[in-house]
Amino acid sequence: MLFRSQMGDSIPKAIAFEVELARLRRAMPATPLSKLEMMAADKVLNLMPTYSRIPKLGNVLRSQPFVGAFISFPLEVFRTGYNLIGTINDELRSDNSEIRKTGAYRLTGAMLASIGFSAAAAGLAAAMGIDDDEDKAIRSLDAPWDKYATKLYLGRDSKGNVQQVNLSYVDPYNYLRDPLIALVKADGTWDQRLMEATKTAFEPFYGEQIDRKSTRLNSSHLVISYAVFCLKK
């Protein structure tokens, strides 16, 4: 299982390395291959989730009981997103035409990735006649973790109920997008919506297990389970 997990993480990085190396070789053919390989590897590690590069603050937070159970991935999304913006900016400002071309391709891909899910969701919602008011009504009935997700409406059943899929589960940048949806879709004043968006942004970094009431409840379940086990013996 560990081997499969490592392969699933390593194969995309290996492919990305070859792509970045080919781009650099076209842009700087006179540069030694060893240097280009180091540059390509650095780009891959900066632009793809690499848990060894989690910020020091993240490593400190991971060991604390008051944060979420798995904050490494959202931290990596923020790190790689920040690095992507900086990389695109540097490439577009380069004097090398090949590097500028790479920056343009990277910018196009980032834009398609960032708006693709939302565009598809908005298009299908419009085709089904779901307006903003109905969308808010649907979200008000959803579970808290689905309330501000990117939703893909697939149709209606025989009773007229909307069939939907939460696209945030397959979108790594949902950590950046969901707070914006909360800012637009939440009810109340501007300050209340801003507070809701802030809460949504920080949700990945705290978990239900830190709540005292939940902890007491889980402890009660553990005691009851142990008592039943003893009685069965």
Side-chain angles (χ1 to χ4, degrees):
M1 185 65 181
L2 178 61
F3 175 74
R4 292 180 181 178
S5 176
Q6 291 175 338
M7 289 297 291
D9 187 56
S10 300
I11 291 176
K13 285 188 174 68
I15 296 173
F17 171 79
E18 294 297 334
V19 171
E20 294 295 344
L21 181 60
R23 288 171 172 174
L24 290 171
R25 294 182 71 173
R26 287 196 301 268
M28 297 177 285
T31 304
L33 180 60
S34 58
K35 184 176 180 179
L36 294 180
E37 288 177 339
M38 292 180 62
M39 293 172 64
D42 191 58
K43 279 185 180 291
V44 171
L45 294 176
N46 281 332
L47 300 178
M48 297 187 70
T50 307
Y51 297 119
S52 61
R53 293 203 170 191
I54 293 174
K56 292 182 179 179
L57 177 61
N59 287 319
V60 172
L61 290 176
R62 286 195 302 174
S63 63
Q64 303 304 314
F66 54 83
V67 298
F70 184 68
I71 64 169
S72 300
F73 185 71
L75 284 173
E76 277 300 278
V77 170
F78 289 125
R79 183 186 72 86
T80 56
Y82 176 81
N83 289 339
L84 178 61
I85 294 173
T87 298
I88 291 174
N89 179 65
D90 292 341
E91 289 175 342
L92 292 177
R93 292 174 179 270
S94 174
D95 295 330
N96 189 309
S97 60
E98 284 294 329
I99 293 179
R100 289 199 304 272
K101 187 185 298 184
T102 297
Y105 283 135
R106 209 183 300 274
L107 176 61
T108 302
M111 291 179 64
L112 289 175
S114 63
I115 67 174
F117 288 103
S118 298
L124 282 177
M128 291 175 55
I130 297 177
D131 57 15
D132 190 57
D133 291 336
E134 186 174 6
D135 180 62
K136 285 186 177 181
I138 294 170
R139 291 176 183 276
S140 68
L141 300 174
D142 284 335
W145 54 85
D146 281 345
K147 194 171 184 180
Y148 301 118
T150 303
K151 296 180 178 295
L152 185 67
Y153 295 117
L154 302 177
R156 300 180 188 270
D157 60 19
S158 58
K159 296 181 179 180
N161 298 319
V162 175
Q163 305 297 304
Q164 57 176 291
V165 174
N166 184 346
L167 291 179
S168 294
Y169 293 135
V170 294
D171 178 14
Y173 289 100
N174 71 298
Y175 298 109
L176 305 177
R177 187 178 295 110
D178 288 357
L180 298 177
I181 296 176
L183 186 64
V184 175
K185 300 291 185 180
D187 295 323
T189 64
W190 168 257
D191 291 341
Q192 291 172 326
R193 287 187 290 163
L194 184 60
M195 182 64 67
E196 191 69 19
T198 303
K199 176 184 174 183
T200 303
F202 281 95
E203 275 182 350
F205 302 104
Y206 62 87
E208 186 183 36
Q209 65 271 23
I210 69 171
D211 181 71
R212 288 182 296 173
K213 182 177 179 181
S214 299
T215 303
R216 289 198 301 269
L217 183 61
N218 291 335
S219 300
S220 300
H221 286 172
L222 181 61
V223 171
I224 293 171
S225 299
Y226 180 71
V228 171
F229 172 75
C230 292
L231 288 173
K232 287 182 177 179
K233 290 184 67 177

